[in-house]
Amino acid sequence: MRLVSRGRLHATFEFGGLQVIALRDGYIDMPPTRLRDEDGCALGELPAAVPLVGDNLRLSVNAFFVTDGTRSLLIDTGASDVWHEPTMGLVYEALDEAGVERAQITDVAITHRHEDHVSGLIAPDGSEAFTGLERVWIGAGDTSVFTGRLAPIRDRVVPVSGEVAINDWATAIPAPGHTPGHTVYEARSSAGRLLAWGDTVHVPTLQFERPNVTWELDGDQSRARAARANLLERLTRPDHFVAGAHLDSPGIARVTPSGEGYALEYLAPPTG
């Protein structure tokens, strides 16, 4: 995988016959008390390698657009305006910056039901953000999110209850734990495999080295821990890459074993 261009809110990678565009929706600051040890208690003192902004963890929020030039898939959609945070809701601007026409997006894959991943289906003015939308792929356990503001999308939802092909190069893979329907998406090309996940890892400076650390908002912390362990081991295979919603933007990296955990190597310098 090779970085070919980069802007303020996007980075474009060549990936065999596919093009992968990392999109920055923004960032959100969260208290470190969200981190949990194996007993479910708030984690104690953080290692020095974990940076804080003020007293908070700064989590990048990313989405990813993958295309073969004919078919395309947008993985996650950002927060739109639901968090009322000026640092969020930039995915539409990121798509414009990358030269992606929103009207041409027919398939959206949602990693899970939380607002910073699914809300961008509806623009701040209440209209559908992707006027050509035909299908929204999401884990079957998370389809209840399509009410209220998201109700107009409900008729195009495709529930994912097992491993299923989206097209001939993309596959949805259930990875429940963070939410009942948490799902990852694998894109395959001649250059390898790219696994796009949502909330498998929140704090990359900590959870690769110590993958047993969980997050307060993991609905089932034990299952979330097991899912992370399985995905991290999968990513150590040759020619495997990860695209992470909360990895430091642009959020695309390699994973290698390191001690009792793993090491992360970004393919482009992160912006935080």
Side-chain angles (χ1 to χ4, degrees), residues 154-253:
R154 188 186 303 137
D155 62 335
R156 281 154 287 173
V157 169
V158 181
V160 173
S161 55
E163 189 167 321
V164 62
I166 294 174
N167 55 42
D168 61 3
W169 48 258
T171 301
I173 304 169
H178 180 65
T179 64
H182 193 272
T183 301
V184 301
Y185 298 91
E186 185 179 76
R188 301 174 303 280
S189 79
S190 59
R193 298 181 181 230
L194 175 69
L195 195 71
W197 68 32
D199 283 20
T200 303
V201 166
H202 289 83
V203 183
T205 52
L206 177 65
Q207 288 179 288
F208 284 91
E209 183 178 348
R210 296 173 59 184
N212 284 338
V213 173
T214 58
W215 190 247
E216 181 185 13
L217 300 181
D218 289 335
D220 185 325
Q221 292 187 10
S222 178
R223 291 189 80 187
R225 185 182 294 113
R228 180 166 49 257
N230 289 337
L231 293 171
L232 287 170
E233 189 59 30
R234 184 182 188 129
L235 284 164
T236 63
R237 299 171 185 172
D239 299 321
H240 277 59
F241 305 87
V242 64
H246 297 306
L247 301 187
D248 294 333
S249 178
I252 295 181

Side-chain angles (χ1 to χ4, degrees), residues 28-92:
I28 189 71
D29 291 341
M30 292 280 188
T33 52
R34 295 263 191 220
L35 292 163
R36 292 289 186 266
D37 63 21
E38 292 188 56
D39 296 321
C41 300
L43 200 65
E45 186 176 351
L46 292 179
V50 179
L52 295 177
V53 180
D55 293 324
N56 289 315
L57 301 161
R58 177 156 291 178
L59 277 59
S60 184
V61 180
N62 311 309
F64 302 94
F65 179 80
V66 187
T67 182
D68 63 7
T70 302
R71 295 152 303 177
S72 62
L73 184 66
L74 176 64
I75 303 170
D76 282 345
T77 64
S80 189
D81 63 337
V82 299
W83 275 4
H84 307 290
E85 292 281 352
T87 62
M88 294 282 287
L90 303 177
V91 78
Y92 312 128

Side-chain angles (χ1 to χ4, degrees), residues 102 120-123 125-133 152-153 155-156:
R102 281 195 269 155
L121 287 165
I122 300 296
D125 66 2
S127 66
E128 292 191 18
F130 309 104
T131 55
L133 185 66
I153 310 293
D155 62 335
R156 281 154 287 173

